Amino acid sequence: GGHAVLWGRAAPAGRVLRERPFAVRRAGGEGAVLQRGVVGLAFREESGWGIVDYKSDAVEREDDLAAAADRHRDQLTAYIQAWERIAGETVAEAGIFFIKPGVYVATHGGA
Protein backbone atom coordinates (compact mmCIF):
# COMPACT_ATOMS: atom_id res chain seq x y z
CA GLY A 1 0.00 0.00 0.00
CA GLY A 2 0.88 3.68 0.09
CA HIS A 3 2.42 3.48 3.55
CA ALA A 4 4.76 0.67 2.52
CA VAL A 5 5.96 2.80 -0.40
CA LEU A 6 6.65 5.74 1.92
CA TRP A 7 8.54 3.54 4.37
CA GLY A 8 10.43 1.99 1.48
CA ARG A 9 11.74 5.46 0.73
CA ALA A 10 12.26 6.51 4.34
CA ALA A 11 13.99 3.35 5.59
CA PRO A 12 17.22 3.75 3.58
CA ALA A 13 17.29 7.54 4.09
CA GLY A 14 20.15 8.95 6.09
CA ARG A 15 17.84 10.52 8.66
CA VAL A 16 14.27 9.61 9.56
CA LEU A 17 12.16 11.48 12.12
CA ARG A 18 8.63 10.60 13.22
CA GLU A 19 6.02 12.79 14.94
CA ARG A 20 8.47 15.68 15.15
CA PRO A 21 7.07 18.81 16.84
CA PHE A 22 8.45 22.17 15.80
CA ALA A 23 8.04 25.83 16.68
CA VAL A 24 9.36 28.88 14.83
CA ARG A 25 8.93 32.58 15.41
CA ARG A 26 7.64 34.63 12.49
CA ALA A 27 7.13 38.33 12.12
CA GLY A 28 3.46 39.18 12.45
CA GLY A 29 1.37 42.32 12.16
CA GLU A 30 1.59 42.90 15.92
CA GLY A 31 5.04 41.47 16.55
CA ALA A 32 6.43 37.96 16.56
CA VAL A 33 4.04 35.05 16.09
CA LEU A 34 4.92 31.55 17.27
CA GLN A 35 4.02 28.91 14.70
CA ARG A 36 3.75 25.35 15.99
CA GLY A 37 3.14 22.08 14.23
CA VAL A 38 3.94 18.39 14.15
CA VAL A 39 5.48 16.75 11.10
CA GLY A 40 4.27 13.14 10.97
CA LEU A 41 7.25 11.81 9.03
CA ALA A 42 10.43 13.49 7.77
CA PHE A 43 13.20 11.73 5.91
CA ARG A 44 16.38 13.00 4.27
CA GLU A 45 16.98 11.71 0.75
CA GLU A 46 19.76 12.72 -1.62
CA SER A 47 17.56 15.40 -3.21
CA GLY A 48 16.50 16.92 0.13
CA TRP A 49 13.96 16.38 2.87
CA GLY A 50 10.63 14.67 2.35
CA ILE A 51 7.93 15.60 4.84
CA VAL A 52 4.58 13.91 5.29
CA ASP A 53 1.53 15.04 7.22
CA TYR A 54 -0.96 12.35 8.22
CA LYS A 55 -4.65 13.21 7.86
CA SER A 56 -7.77 11.32 8.87
CA ASP A 57 -10.08 12.90 6.26
CA ALA A 58 -12.60 10.32 5.05
CA VAL A 59 -11.79 10.23 1.34
CA GLU A 60 -14.04 7.64 -0.26
CA ARG A 61 -13.20 8.02 -3.95
CA GLU A 62 -9.83 8.30 -5.67
CA ASP A 63 -11.23 11.23 -7.67
CA ASP A 64 -11.58 13.19 -4.40
CA LEU A 65 -7.93 12.82 -3.34
CA ALA A 66 -6.64 15.90 -5.19
CA ALA A 67 -9.36 18.13 -3.73
CA ALA A 68 -8.71 16.75 -0.24
CA ALA A 69 -4.97 17.38 -0.64
CA ASP A 70 -5.66 20.94 -1.83
CA ARG A 71 -7.50 21.66 1.43
CA HIS A 72 -4.23 21.08 3.29
CA ARG A 73 -1.82 22.65 0.78
CA ASP A 74 -1.39 25.95 2.67
CA GLN A 75 -0.61 24.09 5.90
CA LEU A 76 2.03 22.02 4.09
CA THR A 77 3.52 25.20 2.60
CA ALA A 78 3.89 26.61 6.12
CA TYR A 79 5.43 23.34 7.32
CA ILE A 80 7.94 23.40 4.44
CA GLN A 81 8.98 26.97 5.24
CA ALA A 82 9.37 26.16 8.93
CA TRP A 83 11.28 22.92 8.28
CA GLU A 84 13.70 24.59 5.86
CA ARG A 85 14.32 27.34 8.38
CA ILE A 86 14.97 24.89 11.23
CA ALA A 87 16.95 22.29 9.25
CA GLY A 88 18.80 24.79 7.07
CA GLU A 89 18.22 22.42 4.15
CA THR A 90 15.77 22.11 1.26
CA VAL A 91 12.47 20.23 1.38
CA ALA A 92 12.37 18.42 -1.96
CA GLU A 93 8.89 16.93 -1.50
CA ALA A 94 5.95 17.23 0.86
CA GLY A 95 2.59 15.58 0.90
CA ILE A 96 -0.37 14.15 2.74
CA PHE A 97 -0.89 10.54 3.75
CA PHE A 98 -4.63 9.92 4.00
CA ILE A 99 -5.02 7.25 6.67
CA LYS A 100 -8.43 5.81 5.76
CA PRO A 101 -7.76 5.00 2.11
CA GLY A 102 -4.05 4.51 2.88
CA VAL A 103 -2.90 6.75 0.04
CA TYR A 104 -0.07 9.30 -0.17
CA VAL A 105 -0.50 12.41 -2.32
CA ALA A 106 2.48 14.69 -3.01
CA THR A 107 1.40 18.32 -2.78
CA HIS A 108 4.82 19.94 -3.27
CA GLY A 109 7.63 18.61 -5.46
CA GLY A 110 7.90 14.91 -6.08
CA ALA A 111 7.58 13.01 -9.30
XYZ file of all heavy atoms in Angstrom:
841
model
N 0.813 -1.196 0.000
C 0.000 0.000 0.000
C 0.848 1.249 0.000
O 2.075 1.200 -0.067
N 0.187 2.403 0.104
C 0.881 3.681 0.093
C 1.864 3.852 1.231
O 2.923 4.435 1.069
N 1.532 3.325 2.404
C 2.423 3.478 3.553
C 3.693 2.670 3.361
O 4.779 3.122 3.714
C 1.704 3.068 4.842
C 2.296 3.712 6.045
N 2.940 3.006 7.002
C 2.347 5.023 6.426
C 3.375 3.830 7.944
N 3.028 5.063 7.610
N 3.587 1.491 2.783
C 4.760 0.666 2.518
C 5.706 1.374 1.550
O 6.926 1.318 1.705
C 4.340 -0.690 1.957
N 5.144 2.058 0.556
C 5.962 2.800 -0.404
C 6.707 3.922 0.307
O 7.904 4.126 0.105
C 5.098 3.356 -1.558
C 5.905 4.298 -2.438
C 4.524 2.219 -2.388
N 6.003 4.665 1.171
C 6.654 5.735 1.919
C 7.783 5.198 2.784
O 8.879 5.744 2.810
C 5.647 6.456 2.821
C 4.852 7.598 2.210
C 3.887 8.157 3.242
C 5.774 8.689 1.702
N 7.505 4.121 3.509
C 8.536 3.542 4.374
C 9.663 2.949 3.565
O 10.809 2.932 4.014
C 7.928 2.524 5.339
C 7.417 3.232 6.553
C 6.115 3.426 6.886
C 8.189 3.890 7.554
N 6.040 4.170 8.049
C 7.287 4.460 8.473
C 9.557 4.059 7.759
C 7.712 5.187 9.586
C 9.977 4.784 8.870
C 9.061 5.338 9.765
N 9.368 2.484 2.351
C 10.426 1.991 1.478
C 11.392 3.095 1.109
O 12.582 2.865 0.931
N 10.889 4.308 1.002
C 11.745 5.462 0.729
C 12.437 5.945 1.995
O 13.593 6.327 1.969
C 10.914 6.608 0.144
C 10.431 6.341 -1.256
C 9.562 7.467 -1.759
N 10.287 8.734 -1.755
C 9.691 9.911 -1.970
N 8.401 9.969 -2.198
N 10.400 11.022 -1.949
N 11.710 5.957 3.100
C 12.257 6.510 4.339
C 13.308 5.608 4.966
O 14.298 6.088 5.511
C 11.125 6.768 5.340
N 13.102 4.288 4.892
C 13.987 3.351 5.591
C 15.462 3.506 5.214
O 16.312 3.529 6.094
C 13.517 1.917 5.366
N 15.803 3.614 3.912
C 17.219 3.753 3.579
C 17.744 5.187 3.689
O 18.925 5.430 3.476
C 17.300 3.260 2.129
C 15.957 3.558 1.560
C 14.979 3.410 2.707
N 16.871 6.136 4.004
C 17.291 7.535 4.088
C 18.284 7.717 5.224
O 18.271 6.995 6.217
C 16.065 8.440 4.308
N 19.141 8.705 5.066
C 20.155 8.951 6.087
C 19.565 9.335 7.430
O 20.070 8.957 8.473
N 18.481 10.083 7.418
C 17.837 10.521 8.656
C 16.340 10.352 8.516
O 15.761 10.739 7.516
C 18.167 11.982 8.947
C 19.630 12.218 9.261
C 19.971 13.682 9.312
N 19.317 14.350 10.429
C 19.351 15.663 10.615
N 19.983 16.441 9.771
N 18.748 16.208 11.643
N 15.719 9.781 9.545
C 14.270 9.607 9.563
C 13.753 10.085 10.916
O 14.271 9.686 11.956
C 13.866 8.121 9.364
C 12.349 7.966 9.432
C 14.404 7.591 8.042
N 12.755 10.943 10.899
C 12.158 11.475 12.119
C 10.659 11.251 12.046
O 10.038 11.461 11.006
C 12.454 12.976 12.252
C 13.934 13.375 12.222
C 14.072 14.882 12.085
C 14.636 12.885 13.469
N 10.072 10.823 13.169
C 8.626 10.598 13.220
C 8.006 11.481 14.285
O 8.587 11.687 15.353
C 8.332 9.132 13.546
C 8.787 8.185 12.465
C 8.474 6.760 12.818
N 7.029 6.552 12.873
C 6.471 5.431 13.294
N 7.198 4.428 13.710
N 5.169 5.308 13.302
N 6.789 11.974 13.996
C 6.024 12.790 14.942
C 6.912 13.860 15.573
O 7.063 13.942 16.777
C 5.383 11.900 16.020
C 4.355 10.928 15.471
C 3.182 11.627 14.793
O 2.743 12.687 15.292
O 2.716 11.121 13.763
N 7.499 14.686 14.715
C 8.467 15.681 15.152
C 7.787 17.038 15.350
O 7.394 17.686 14.392
C 9.555 15.800 14.099
C 10.700 16.637 14.513
C 11.380 16.021 15.718
N 12.777 16.340 15.690
C 13.665 15.693 16.385
N 13.305 14.699 17.148
N 14.908 16.041 16.340
N 7.653 17.484 16.616
C 7.071 18.814 16.841
C 8.082 19.903 16.477
O 9.294 19.679 16.549
C 6.773 18.819 18.343
C 7.671 17.792 18.929
C 7.979 16.797 17.851
N 7.564 21.045 16.085
C 8.453 22.172 15.798
C 7.755 23.462 16.199
O 6.536 23.521 16.355
C 8.842 22.219 14.309
C 7.694 22.551 13.390
C 7.350 23.867 13.121
C 6.949 21.537 12.799
C 6.285 24.166 12.282
C 5.886 21.829 11.954
C 5.560 23.143 11.695
N 8.561 24.486 16.389
C 8.042 25.825 16.676
C 9.031 26.828 16.099
O 10.243 26.689 16.284
C 7.882 26.043 18.176
N 8.516 27.806 15.382
C 9.360 28.877 14.834
C 8.665 30.210 15.071
O 7.444 30.303 15.077
C 9.639 28.691 13.316
C 10.523 27.492 13.066
C 8.367 28.602 12.515
N 9.465 31.227 15.265
C 8.929 32.584 15.406
C 8.903 33.242 14.041
O 9.846 33.174 13.291
C 9.802 33.412 16.343
C 9.623 33.048 17.768
C 10.114 34.184 18.676
N 10.021 33.773 20.056
C 8.903 33.767 20.762
N 7.778 34.150 20.216
N 8.902 33.371 22.010
N 7.779 33.894 13.750
C 7.638 34.626 12.489
C 7.185 36.049 12.802
O 6.466 36.266 13.774
C 6.585 33.964 11.595
C 6.952 32.575 11.168
C 6.041 32.142 10.020
N 6.475 30.890 9.472
C 7.468 30.751 8.602
N 8.135 31.802 8.202
N 7.800 29.576 8.135
N 7.589 36.956 11.951
C 7.134 38.334 12.117
C 5.649 38.398 11.792
O 5.203 37.851 10.792
C 7.915 39.257 11.189
N 4.895 39.029 12.666
C 3.458 39.176 12.446
C 3.086 40.640 12.457
O 3.919 41.505 12.714
N 1.829 40.933 12.197
C 1.372 42.316 12.163
C 1.548 43.025 13.487
O 1.777 44.221 13.538
N 1.467 42.297 14.591
C 1.592 42.904 15.919
C 2.796 42.378 16.658
O 2.789 42.255 17.868
C 0.318 42.633 16.716
C -0.928 42.979 15.941
C -1.941 43.707 16.779
O -1.763 43.785 17.989
O -2.908 44.198 16.196
N 3.846 42.014 15.912
C 5.044 41.472 16.545
C 5.263 40.031 16.134
O 4.700 39.558 15.159
N 6.087 39.337 16.891
C 6.432 37.959 16.561
C 5.259 37.022 16.839
O 4.544 37.173 17.820
C 7.649 37.526 17.362
N 5.079 36.068 15.951
C 4.041 35.054 16.094
C 4.742 33.700 16.174
O 5.647 33.412 15.391
C 3.087 35.069 14.871
C 2.091 33.929 14.953
C 2.382 36.409 14.772
N 4.343 32.880 17.129
C 4.917 31.554 17.267
C 4.078 30.564 16.467
O 2.880 30.429 16.708
C 4.974 31.140 18.736
C 5.741 29.862 19.048
C 7.220 30.026 18.692
C 5.599 29.508 20.515
N 4.703 29.934 15.491
C 4.017 28.912 14.696
C 4.452 27.550 15.194
O 5.631 27.258 15.294
C 4.377 29.045 13.216
C 3.753 27.950 12.367
C 4.337 27.896 10.966
O 5.055 28.790 10.543
N 4.025 26.847 10.251
N 3.474 26.704 15.529
C 3.753 25.349 15.993
C 3.136 24.341 15.052
O 2.145 24.622 14.387
C 3.162 25.119 17.391
C 3.744 25.986 18.466
C 3.047 25.684 19.797
N 3.473 26.584 20.835
C 4.539 26.388 21.603
N 5.286 25.315 21.431
N 4.855 27.249 22.541
N 3.694 23.157 15.035
C 3.142 22.084 14.234
C 3.816 20.772 14.583
O 4.742 20.736 15.393
N 3.336 19.704 13.976
C 3.941 18.389 14.150
C 4.042 17.749 12.772
O 3.032 17.559 12.098
C 3.113 17.479 15.087
C 3.757 16.096 15.183
C 2.964 18.098 16.460
N 5.261 17.448 12.359
C 5.482 16.747 11.101
C 5.403 15.257 11.389
O 6.137 14.743 12.238
C 6.850 17.124 10.493
C 7.177 16.238 9.298
C 6.856 18.587 10.070
N 4.482 14.563 10.714
C 4.266 13.141 10.972
C 5.471 12.282 10.616
O 5.846 11.373 11.354
N 6.095 12.571 9.477
C 7.251 11.808 9.026
C 8.147 12.745 8.235
O 7.674 13.480 7.366
C 6.803 10.639 8.144
C 7.888 9.818 7.450
C 8.739 9.064 8.475
C 7.264 8.835 6.455
N 9.437 12.722 8.537
C 10.426 13.487 7.770
C 11.597 12.559 7.491
O 12.047 11.837 8.380
C 10.890 14.715 8.546
N 12.055 12.560 6.252
C 13.205 11.729 5.911
C 14.086 12.461 4.914
O 13.619 13.204 4.061
C 12.769 10.358 5.379
C 11.805 10.403 4.219
C 12.251 10.319 2.919
C 10.438 10.515 4.457
C 11.363 10.353 1.860
C 9.535 10.542 3.405
C 9.997 10.462 2.102
N 15.400 12.281 5.086
C 16.384 12.999 4.275
C 16.883 12.094 3.158
O 17.542 11.099 3.413
C 17.537 13.440 5.172
C 18.651 14.188 4.466
C 18.174 15.569 4.045
N 19.255 16.395 3.537
C 19.743 16.337 2.300
N 19.267 15.463 1.443
N 20.705 17.139 1.925
N 16.490 12.431 1.919
C 16.977 11.714 0.746
C 18.076 12.545 0.099
O 18.363 13.669 0.526
C 15.832 11.491 -0.248
C 14.749 10.571 0.279
C 13.655 10.324 -0.740
O 12.998 11.284 -1.174
O 13.475 9.152 -1.094
N 18.673 12.013 -0.941
C 19.762 12.716 -1.620
C 19.306 14.074 -2.149
O 20.045 15.055 -2.092
C 20.278 11.851 -2.777
C 21.558 12.363 -3.388
C 22.118 11.407 -4.423
O 22.017 10.181 -4.232
O 22.655 11.905 -5.429
N 18.069 14.161 -2.624
C 17.562 15.402 -3.214
C 17.106 16.423 -2.175
O 16.863 17.583 -2.498
C 16.394 15.094 -4.153
O 15.356 14.453 -3.437
N 16.965 16.015 -0.928
C 16.504 16.917 0.130
C 15.538 16.191 1.051
O 15.377 14.978 0.974
N 14.901 16.956 1.912
C 13.958 16.377 2.874
C 12.633 16.048 2.209
O 12.166 16.779 1.323
C 13.694 17.359 4.013
C 14.804 17.411 5.008
C 15.838 18.307 5.038
C 14.998 16.539 6.113
N 16.655 18.032 6.094
C 16.168 16.963 6.779
C 14.302 15.446 6.613
C 16.656 16.323 7.917
C 14.780 14.806 7.744
C 15.952 15.242 8.384
N 12.013 14.992 2.660
C 10.627 14.674 2.352
C 9.851 14.791 3.647
O 10.297 14.278 4.678
N 8.746 15.511 3.632
C 7.930 15.603 4.842
C 6.499 15.190 4.521
O 5.980 15.461 3.441
C 7.979 16.999 5.509
C 7.489 18.105 4.597
C 9.375 17.307 6.025
C 7.410 19.456 5.294
N 5.911 14.486 5.482
C 4.576 13.915 5.291
C 3.708 14.288 6.480
O 4.131 14.158 7.633
C 4.650 12.377 5.173
C 3.256 11.782 4.979
C 5.586 11.967 4.036
N 2.514 14.755 6.183
C 1.533 15.041 7.222
C 0.428 13.993 7.101
O -0.067 13.741 6.004
C 0.964 16.451 7.033
C 0.239 16.955 8.258
O 0.464 16.411 9.354
O -0.560 17.902 8.123
N 0.088 13.368 8.209
C -0.961 12.348 8.221
C -2.311 13.014 8.485
O -2.421 13.845 9.393
C -0.683 11.299 9.300
C 0.495 10.419 8.973
C 1.794 10.830 9.227
C 0.301 9.172 8.393
C 2.875 10.024 8.915
C 1.376 8.354 8.081
C 2.663 8.789 8.343
O 3.728 7.992 8.032
N -3.307 12.649 7.697
C -4.652 13.211 7.855
C -5.684 12.091 7.913
O -5.560 11.076 7.235
C -5.006 14.148 6.694
C -4.134 15.383 6.608
C -4.332 16.293 7.789
C -3.509 17.565 7.660
N -3.518 18.354 8.882
N -6.721 12.331 8.713
C -7.766 11.317 8.868
C -9.035 11.662 8.082
O -10.088 11.098 8.335
C -8.104 11.140 10.353
O -8.534 12.377 10.903
N -8.922 12.573 7.111
C -10.077 12.899 6.260
C -10.653 11.606 5.670
O -9.897 10.744 5.222
C -9.666 13.779 5.073
C -9.017 15.085 5.487
O -8.303 15.086 6.490
O -9.210 16.082 4.784
N -11.944 11.484 5.659
C -12.595 10.319 5.050
C -12.724 10.572 3.551
O -13.645 11.242 3.101
C -13.958 10.074 5.680
N -11.781 10.073 2.789
C -11.795 10.233 1.340
C -12.248 8.904 0.745
O -11.536 7.907 0.808
C -10.398 10.625 0.804
C -10.458 10.824 -0.706
C -9.889 11.877 1.492
N -13.443 8.896 0.215
C -14.036 7.641 -0.259
C -13.632 7.274 -1.683
O -13.491 6.113 -2.014
C -15.568 7.734 -0.190
C -16.116 8.018 1.201
C -15.867 6.882 2.175
O -15.754 5.725 1.716
O -15.784 7.139 3.382
N -13.481 8.295 -2.542
C -13.196 8.019 -3.950
C -11.836 8.573 -4.338
O -11.429 9.623 -3.870
C -14.264 8.663 -4.837
C -15.668 8.161 -4.570
C -16.699 8.829 -5.466
N -16.480 10.257 -5.602
C -16.601 10.932 -6.749
N -16.947 10.328 -7.848
N -16.391 12.232 -6.790
N -11.141 7.861 -5.207
C -9.827 8.298 -5.667
C -9.907 9.667 -6.328
O -8.988 10.475 -6.228
C -9.260 7.264 -6.643
C -7.803 7.473 -6.933
C -7.194 6.313 -7.693
O -7.561 5.158 -7.424
O -6.353 6.594 -8.556
N -11.036 9.947 -7.001
C -11.226 11.233 -7.667
C -11.223 12.396 -6.681
O -11.009 13.542 -7.078
C -12.549 11.256 -8.438
C -12.554 10.306 -9.626
O -11.475 9.792 -9.991
O -13.632 10.076 -10.185
N -11.506 12.131 -5.409
C -11.578 13.193 -4.399
C -10.242 13.478 -3.729
O -10.129 14.412 -2.933
C -12.608 12.825 -3.323
C -14.019 12.709 -3.899
O -14.303 13.387 -4.910
O -14.822 11.944 -3.330
N -9.206 12.668 -4.018
C -7.925 12.825 -3.338
C -7.277 14.183 -3.603
O -6.767 14.820 -2.691
C -6.964 11.706 -3.739
C -7.211 10.357 -3.076
C -6.384 9.277 -3.758
C -6.887 10.431 -1.591
N -7.281 14.623 -4.849
C -6.642 15.897 -5.192
C -7.306 17.056 -4.456
O -6.636 17.937 -3.921
C -6.664 16.124 -6.696
N -8.639 17.059 -4.418
C -9.365 18.127 -3.726
C -9.074 18.085 -2.231
O -8.892 19.126 -1.586
C -10.861 18.013 -3.982
N -9.007 16.883 -1.662
C -8.708 16.753 -0.236
C -7.299 17.247 0.047
O -7.062 17.945 1.042
C -8.866 15.294 0.196
N -6.349 16.918 -0.819
C -4.971 17.384 -0.641
C -4.897 18.904 -0.743
O -4.176 19.555 0.019
C -4.060 16.725 -1.669
N -5.660 19.478 -1.666
C -5.662 20.939 -1.827
C -6.124 21.657 -0.568
O -5.668 22.758 -0.273
C -6.550 21.351 -3.002
C -5.854 21.203 -4.346
O -4.604 21.090 -4.360
O -6.553 21.199 -5.378
N -7.026 21.043 0.185
C -7.502 21.665 1.433
C -6.375 21.847 2.442
O -6.456 22.703 3.312
C -8.614 20.813 2.064
C -9.928 20.860 1.324
C -11.070 20.340 2.167
N -10.945 18.940 2.534
C -11.399 17.924 1.797
N -12.007 18.159 0.650
N -11.264 16.680 2.200
N -5.336 21.035 2.329
C -4.230 21.081 3.290
C -2.955 21.690 2.711
O -1.934 21.754 3.388
C -3.930 19.665 3.797
C -5.101 19.008 4.450
N -5.584 19.414 5.668
C -5.901 17.989 4.043
C -6.624 18.657 5.997
N -6.845 17.801 5.024
N -3.017 22.147 1.467
C -1.819 22.650 0.785
C -1.168 23.823 1.517
O 0.061 23.871 1.667
C -2.170 23.057 -0.648
C -0.955 23.398 -1.487
C -1.364 23.702 -2.919
N -2.007 22.570 -3.557
C -1.351 21.571 -4.144
N -0.040 21.566 -4.152
N -2.015 20.581 -4.708
N -1.973 24.783 1.985
C -1.395 25.948 2.674
C -0.683 25.542 3.959
O 0.368 26.088 4.298
C -2.477 26.989 2.980
C -2.969 27.703 1.733
O -2.316 27.588 0.662
O -4.017 28.369 1.815
N -1.258 24.572 4.675
C -0.615 24.091 5.897
C 0.733 23.450 5.562
O 1.727 23.685 6.244
C -1.505 23.082 6.617
C -0.862 22.559 7.892
C -1.682 21.472 8.565
O -2.680 21.004 8.012
N -1.263 21.084 9.750
N 0.766 22.651 4.497
C 2.030 22.017 4.091
C 3.051 23.060 3.666
O 4.246 22.919 3.953
C 1.787 21.021 2.957
C 1.694 19.548 3.342
C 3.006 18.992 3.810
C 0.623 19.293 4.353
N 2.606 24.117 2.994
C 3.518 25.196 2.598
C 4.162 25.811 3.840
O 5.373 26.044 3.870
C 2.769 26.275 1.794
O 2.255 25.683 0.595
C 3.683 27.427 1.435
N 3.360 26.052 4.876
C 3.889 26.611 6.124
C 4.861 25.640 6.786
O 5.905 26.047 7.308
C 2.745 26.950 7.077
N 4.542 24.350 6.754
C 5.434 23.336 7.323
C 6.771 23.311 6.575
O 7.830 23.192 7.180
C 4.781 21.956 7.256
C 3.800 21.655 8.366
C 3.175 22.667 9.086
C 3.484 20.343 8.700
C 2.274 22.376 10.091
C 2.591 20.047 9.715
C 1.982 21.068 10.408
O 1.102 20.775 11.408
N 6.713 23.395 5.245
C 7.937 23.404 4.438
C 8.814 24.586 4.827
O 10.023 24.450 5.055
C 7.608 23.463 2.931
C 6.993 22.150 2.475
C 8.853 23.780 2.110
C 6.367 22.218 1.094
N 8.217 25.769 4.901
C 8.975 26.970 5.242
C 9.611 26.847 6.622
O 10.774 27.194 6.816
C 8.077 28.201 5.155
C 7.643 28.513 3.737
C 6.539 29.559 3.654
O 5.945 29.942 4.656
N 6.250 30.015 2.451
N 8.855 26.327 7.578
C 9.375 26.160 8.929
C 10.488 25.118 8.950
O 11.532 25.328 9.570
C 8.249 25.759 9.882
N 10.284 24.003 8.269
C 11.279 22.920 8.280
C 12.590 23.386 7.647
O 13.677 23.104 8.150
C 10.734 21.701 7.556
C 11.551 20.474 7.824
C 12.559 19.977 7.053
C 11.457 19.614 8.959
N 13.087 18.854 7.634
C 12.427 18.612 8.806
C 10.628 19.596 10.085
C 12.602 17.590 9.738
C 10.799 18.585 11.010
C 11.779 17.598 10.834
N 12.487 24.101 6.524
C 13.696 24.593 5.856
C 14.438 25.579 6.740
O 15.675 25.588 6.773
C 13.349 25.216 4.508
C 12.945 24.182 3.479
C 12.658 24.743 2.105
O 12.324 25.948 1.987
O 12.766 23.966 1.140
N 13.695 26.372 7.469
C 14.321 27.336 8.377
C 15.034 26.619 9.525
O 16.157 26.961 9.876
C 13.253 28.287 8.911
C 13.802 29.395 9.754
C 12.708 30.389 10.076
N 13.135 31.263 11.148
C 12.338 32.053 11.815
N 11.053 32.085 11.517
N 12.788 32.811 12.761
N 14.389 25.614 10.089
C 14.967 24.890 11.226
C 16.135 24.015 10.778
O 17.199 24.008 11.402
C 13.880 24.028 11.917
C 12.849 24.932 12.598
C 14.503 23.070 12.932
C 11.575 24.215 12.993
N 15.936 23.241 9.701
C 16.954 22.286 9.253
C 18.087 22.959 8.482
O 19.185 22.429 8.408
C 16.307 21.205 8.383
N 17.803 24.132 7.893
C 18.805 24.788 7.069
C 19.064 24.023 5.774
O 20.122 24.158 5.166
N 18.100 23.211 5.358
C 18.217 22.417 4.146
C 16.892 22.453 3.390
O 15.859 22.799 3.952
C 18.575 20.964 4.481
C 19.927 20.822 5.156
C 20.239 19.383 5.500
O 19.343 18.670 6.006
O 21.376 18.971 5.272
N 16.943 22.053 2.133
C 15.772 22.113 1.263
C 14.799 20.959 1.509
O 15.217 19.828 1.740
C 16.234 22.056 -0.213
O 17.094 23.157 -0.447
C 15.060 22.114 -1.172
N 13.506 21.265 1.436
C 12.471 20.235 1.382
C 12.201 19.976 -0.094
O 11.747 20.867 -0.811
C 11.182 20.671 2.118
C 10.060 19.668 1.867
C 11.441 20.830 3.602
N 12.527 18.762 -0.544
C 12.370 18.420 -1.961
C 10.951 17.977 -2.285
O 10.497 18.094 -3.421
C 13.355 17.312 -2.343
N 10.244 17.434 -1.268
C 8.887 16.934 -1.500
C 8.110 16.964 -0.195
O 8.665 16.713 0.875
C 8.931 15.497 -2.016
C 7.565 14.901 -2.280
C 7.644 13.472 -2.804
O 8.658 13.107 -3.422
O 6.678 12.732 -2.582
N 6.839 17.288 -0.297
C 5.945 17.232 0.857
C 4.599 16.736 0.382
O 4.223 16.923 -0.775
C 5.800 18.608 1.508
N 3.892 16.087 1.285
C 2.588 15.582 0.897
C 1.778 15.104 2.078
O 2.200 15.197 3.232
N 0.601 14.608 1.742
C -0.371 14.145 2.736
C -0.526 12.635 2.608
O -0.665 12.115 1.494
C -1.757 14.783 2.476
C -1.673 16.302 2.392
C -2.766 14.321 3.517
C -1.437 17.000 3.668
N -0.523 11.954 3.739
C -0.894 10.541 3.751
C -2.282 10.458 4.360
O -2.480 10.795 5.526
C 0.098 9.697 4.559
C -0.223 8.233 4.472
C 0.245 7.475 3.404
C -1.001 7.610 5.426
C -0.059 6.123 3.292
C -1.312 6.266 5.326
C -0.841 5.521 4.261
N -3.258 10.064 3.527
C -4.632 9.921 4.001
C -4.779 8.536 4.616
O -4.659 7.518 3.923
C -5.621 10.144 2.857
C -5.630 11.560 2.369
C -4.948 11.922 1.212
C -6.297 12.543 3.085
C -4.941 13.238 0.778
C -6.296 13.864 2.650
C -5.614 14.210 1.506
N -5.046 8.493 5.908
C -5.019 7.249 6.672
C -6.095 6.268 6.223
O -5.815 5.085 6.035
C -5.152 7.552 8.179
C -3.938 8.360 8.646
C -5.285 6.258 8.982
C -4.086 8.966 10.028
N -7.333 6.754 6.047
C -8.425 5.811 5.756
C -8.246 5.086 4.423
O -8.284 3.860 4.396
C -9.784 6.506 5.823
C -10.932 5.535 5.630
C -12.273 6.179 5.877
C -13.382 5.148 5.703
N -14.697 5.736 5.874
N -8.008 5.787 3.318
C -7.763 4.998 2.109
C -6.332 4.446 2.038
O -6.029 3.605 1.222
C -8.046 5.978 0.967
C -7.798 7.310 1.553
C -8.148 7.212 3.017
N -5.432 4.972 2.911
C -4.051 4.510 2.883
C -3.304 4.957 1.649
O -2.559 4.187 1.046
N -3.485 6.236 1.272
C -2.902 6.754 0.045
C -2.099 8.021 0.344
O -2.536 8.890 1.088
C -4.010 7.086 -0.990
C -3.423 7.728 -2.242
C -4.767 5.821 -1.364
N -0.925 8.118 -0.283
C -0.073 9.295 -0.167
C -0.238 10.151 -1.420
O -0.233 9.641 -2.540
C 1.396 8.875 -0.025
C 2.369 10.018 -0.163
C 2.504 10.947 0.867
C 3.138 10.167 -1.305
C 3.393 12.007 0.745
C 4.030 11.217 -1.427
C 4.157 12.130 -0.403
O 5.037 13.178 -0.523
N -0.387 11.466 -1.212
C -0.501 12.413 -2.324
C 0.548 13.499 -2.125
O 0.533 14.213 -1.113
C -1.910 13.068 -2.376
C -1.971 14.073 -3.512
C -2.986 12.008 -2.523
N 1.476 13.612 -3.076
C 2.481 14.691 -3.011
C 1.793 16.001 -3.366
O 1.088 16.092 -4.366
C 3.624 14.398 -3.979
N 1.984 17.009 -2.519
C 1.398 18.323 -2.782
C 2.453 19.330 -3.230
O 2.123 20.346 -3.824
C 0.701 18.873 -1.519
O 1.653 18.931 -0.456
C -0.474 18.005 -1.127
N 3.712 19.054 -2.927
C 4.817 19.942 -3.275
C 5.989 19.086 -3.752
O 6.417 18.187 -3.039
C 5.269 20.761 -2.069
C 4.212 21.647 -1.492
N 3.171 21.166 -0.734
C 4.040 22.981 -1.574
C 2.405 22.185 -0.362
N 2.908 23.282 -0.855
N 6.497 19.374 -4.950
C 7.626 18.608 -5.458
C 7.224 17.192 -5.804
O 6.051 16.891 -6.030
N 8.187 16.314 -5.788
C 7.901 14.910 -6.085
C 7.793 14.668 -7.564
O 7.843 15.575 -8.380
N 7.650 13.386 -7.896
C 7.580 13.010 -9.304
C 6.187 13.204 -9.857
O 5.220 13.123 -9.158
C 8.006 11.566 -9.459
